Amino acid sequence: VVESVGEGVEDLAPGDHVVPIFTGECGACSYCGSGKTNLCGPYRVNPFKSTMASDDGTRFTAVDKSGDRRPVYHFLNTSTFAEYTVLDAACAVKINPKAPLEKMSLLSCCISTGVGAAWNTANVSKGSTVAVFGLGAVGLAVAEGARLRGAARIIGVDINPEKYTKAKEMGITDFINSKACGKPVHEVIREMTDGGVDYSFECTGINDVLREAFVSTHDGWGLTVVLGIHATPKMMPLHPMELFDGRRITGCIFGDFKGKSQLPELVDKCMNGEAKINFDGFITHKMPFSNINKAFQLLEEGKSLRCLLHL
């Protein structure tokens, strides 16, 4: 909830309900004016940037034992692990005040990224086949988006078979344990789908998994969407000539949603029942903020999708 606004902010006011987003939308740059991208020139996501875009400064300080003040830096344009935070207006999306903030907080990344990848990036068609590599929150949000689009078959791939129970709730129709299938996953998927899936989504950030996701799609028309965060300096595990088979590959940030101009409409569609996204299914734990380390542990162990921390 907006507590106050700074000079020059005209589209937000105290009391507004907002969703913080890590890739902003200023509405004035050439990127924001283009219908081909959801990137923004000054406010695009940058994990190495730790200051505010407007003046390259910080808004938080901490006082050490000697009384000296030291800056507390910003993270991913949001810095939301705090009771109060400071955002650029470009990174705060005003939404319907009747929408439950606990659920809408999932639009800051998880659901918007996965559902948007299925809807906006891949434009999954009814009756199609889909493979999702990595069944964390983003992977299951992809499955949710594909389910809502009417995909006929959604194959989930993970190393943890315990995830299948939850995955079925989110639309996964088939499960492959990549550690126990006895052959390369892409061979299993090709056998299951008569040549490969129409769409694959890589949600792990692991190069070998990206390779499997790409070659699991059908030649001639298969599309792979990269959602995982990959380590530098590793490069893409593909040969250029493989693209001559008609398979395509593309990346996706924030589900290709333009945050400030498109998320409010999505919230309204969720409120009126037009978009039946299963928000509750993603909230697996609720804890006080003091248990934040436990929340990270559950996430790392694959036992949690999203944990709501209450201040």
Side-chain angles (χ1 to χ4, degrees):
V1 178
V2 175
E3 186 273 336
S4 59
V5 299
E7 182 179 352
V9 176
E10 299 178 351
D11 62 335
L12 297 169
D16 284 346
H17 287 199
V18 296
V19 172
I21 54 174
F22 62 85
T23 181
E25 183 184 355
C26 71
C29 69
S30 60
Y31 295 92
C32 288
S34 169
K36 298 179 180 180
T37 181
N38 68 335
L39 294 180
C40 171
Y43 297 105
R44 69 173 65 190
V45 61
N46 179 355
F48 301 107
K49 186 173 178 60
S50 58
T51 55
M52 300 288 285
S54 57
D55 62 359
D56 205 29
T58 65
R59 298 296 182 272
F60 310 114
T61 58
V63 179
D64 60 25
K65 292 181 179 179
S66 65
D68 293 331
R69 289 183 174 272
R70 57 183 176 83
V72 177
Y73 293 98
H74 299 253
F75 182 63
L76 290 183
N77 290 329
T78 57
S79 303
T80 47
F81 285 154
E83 186 174 2
Y84 290 90
T85 188
V86 182
L87 306 178
D88 287 294
C91 297
V93 178
K94 181 179 178 180
I95 63 170
N96 188 330
K98 295 181 180 179
L101 286 175
E102 283 195 349
K103 297 180 182 180
M104 296 305 108
S105 66
L106 299 181
L107 293 176
S108 286
C109 177
C110 163
I111 288 181
S112 53
T113 297
V115 170
W119 290 1
N120 302 327
T121 312
N123 193 20
V124 169
S125 58
K126 185 176 182 179
S128 59
T129 54
V130 174
V132 182
F133 289 75
L135 300 182
V138 172
L140 292 186
V142 170
E144 177 77 355
R147 178 186 68 82
L148 292 170
R149 277 292 179 91
R153 200 168 188 181
I154 307 173
I155 303 168
V157 183
D158 203 284
I159 61 174
N160 184 357
E162 294 181 4
K163 291 187 175 183
Y164 186 32
T165 300
K166 187 66 175 179
K168 286 190 288 187
E169 178 186 332
M170 316 308 289
I172 296 294
T173 60
D174 302 85
F175 177 78
I176 298 174
N177 181 344
S178 55
K179 278 191 172 181
C181 59
K183 62 175 70 174
V185 172
H186 75 271
E187 293 183 11
V188 178
I189 290 177
R190 287 183 184 182
E191 291 171 1
M192 294 171 64
T193 57
D194 192 25
V197 291
D198 301 311
Y199 311 95
S200 72
F201 297 84
E202 185 280 309
C203 307
T204 69
I206 301 171
N207 258 23
D208 290 343
V209 176
L210 174 57
R211 172 76 191 169
E212 288 296 299
F214 177 71
V215 294
S216 73
T217 61
H218 204 293
D219 63 339
W221 63 79
L223 172 65
T224 298
V225 179
V226 182
L227 294 165
I229 304 301
H230 286 255
T232 301
K234 292 184 178 180
M235 304 297 285
M236 191 176 292
L238 309 176
H239 191 284
M241 297 303 293
E242 290 182 297
L243 298 173
F244 283 28
D245 287 337
R247 295 184 177 94
R248 294 169 296 142
I249 186 168
T250 187
C252 171
I253 289 289
F254 200 57
D256 278 330
F257 278 113
K258 285 182 177 287
K260 287 180 73 81
S261 57
Q262 293 180 334
L263 276 195
E265 181 183 2
L266 176 60
V267 171
D268 290 340
K269 287 182 177 180
C270 292
M271 292 291 290
N272 64 28
E274 187 178 346
K276 301 181 185 298
I277 298 174
N278 180 14
F279 285 87
D280 290 330
F282 289 89
I283 302 172
T284 53
H285 297 79
K286 296 182 180 182
M287 296 179 180
F289 184 79
S290 58
N291 287 352
I292 185 172
N293 288 336
K294 175 65 175 178
F296 275 119
Q297 181 182 343
L298 290 170
L299 192 67
E300 187 174 355
E301 293 173 350
K303 298 177 181 178
S304 170
L305 291 180
R306 283 294 178 265
C307 176
L308 287 181
L309 299 174
H310 295 278
L311 287 162

